[in-house]
Amino acid sequence: MARPRKPLLSTDRIVETARELVDREGLAAVSTRRLAAELGVSGPSLYNHFRTKDEILEAVADSVSALVDLSMFEECRDWRTALHDWAVSYRAALRDHPNIVPVLARGPGRRPAALRLADAVYGAMVDAGWPPSQATSIGALMRYFIMGSALGSFAGGFVDDASAYDPADYPHLGQAHLLAEQQEKIDERAFETGLGALLDGLAQQYEQVRV
């Protein structure tokens, strides 16, 4: 009986395996040796696809950027609706892969999917009538807000222990120990509240630039 063949090593397979490793154990877990072991290959074989660990992490980051829906910028949606829907999709991608956010936060660099994302947002804002300089600022502002929301959970930052919040010391945190159990709901509501306020403010500015 013929021996089963190992799946051929490919760039996509390396990136997928590295992304799964980052998701499970964080950025520190990734090394060429560990990744080779996960793939069942020798370490040097990875160098046919990536020269360094940093290149692998850049590719993982770009694979997450590629998950963000950009179709709303190609459809006939107004700029505010498109920006809202894109922000929700972007946050969902980061929420599913939070450990790679520090790499994404460095900026798009040369990553193709990240550059397509930046190009789509900037182009849509300019096409909607925003001055180029303000379109750039909007892209940056949205990126700060979305990535900040993905870096950590507000609700998850409180412990499930009422004794940690002595009313004598923290008179307004009597219910703080209940936040963690409603983490997803609270964080989603906070994101939508902030996003709505941000878009309201931009809408006011838009009226001024269109005068």
Side-chain angles (χ1 to χ4, degrees):
M1 182 181 294
R3 297 176 61 186
R5 295 178 60 188
K6 293 180 179 179
L8 292 175
L9 190 62
S10 66
T11 297
D12 288 344
R13 185 170 169 237
I14 293 170
V15 171
E16 181 180 356
T17 302
R19 185 174 62 235
E20 291 172 353
L21 183 58
V22 171
D23 287 345
R24 286 198 317 267
E25 302 180 33
L27 295 172
V30 179
S31 68
T32 52
R33 178 178 296 182
R34 174 69 186 280
L35 194 52
E38 293 278 329
L39 289 160
V41 300
S42 62
S45 62
L46 295 179
Y47 297 118
N48 293 323
H49 302 270
F50 296 98
R51 292 175 297 176
T52 65
K53 166 187 168 179
D54 283 344
E55 283 191 1
I56 295 171
L57 291 177
E58 286 287 306
V60 170
D62 211 38
S63 74
V64 173
S65 292
L67 299 174
V68 182
D69 184 14
L70 299 177
S71 64
M72 65 284 297
F73 296 120
E74 300 168 1
E75 300 169 358
C76 296
R77 303 187 199 180
D78 64 275
W79 68 267
R80 175 177 175 146
T81 300
L83 209 56
H84 174 277
D85 294 349
W86 165 74
V88 170
S89 177
Y90 198 174
R91 180 173 180 266
L94 300 189
R95 185 189 57 216
D96 291 342
H97 304 281
N99 291 337
I100 199 63
V101 172
V103 179
L104 284 164
R106 299 172 190 166
R110 298 176 182 272
R111 299 194 297 268
L115 289 171
R116 285 193 293 273
L117 187 155
D119 182 73
V121 175
Y122 176 80
M125 295 305 101
V126 171
D127 289 346
W130 285 96
S133 61
Q134 286 182 274
T136 299
S137 297
I138 290 171
L141 169 64
M142 297 299 292
R143 185 167 167 272
Y144 298 153
F145 175 70
I146 297 165
M147 288 197 176
S149 74
L151 283 173
S153 164
F154 171 80
F158 294 87
V159 298
D160 183 16
D161 179 3
S163 67
Y165 308 105
D166 188 331
D169 297 319
Y170 315 107
H172 304 294
L173 297 182
Q175 301 297 308
H177 64 288
L178 302 176
L179 293 176
E181 67 182 32
Q182 301 184 57
Q183 176 178 329
E184 184 174 351
K185 178 180 179 180
I186 292 171
D187 290 347
E188 287 288 341
R189 189 170 62 218
F191 177 77
E192 282 292 344
T193 299
L195 181 58
L198 188 156
L199 293 174
D200 284 346
L202 288 176
Q204 291 182 8
Q205 292 185 31
Y206 185 69
E207 293 302 318
Q208 297 174 7
V209 302
R210 297 291 289 172
V211 172

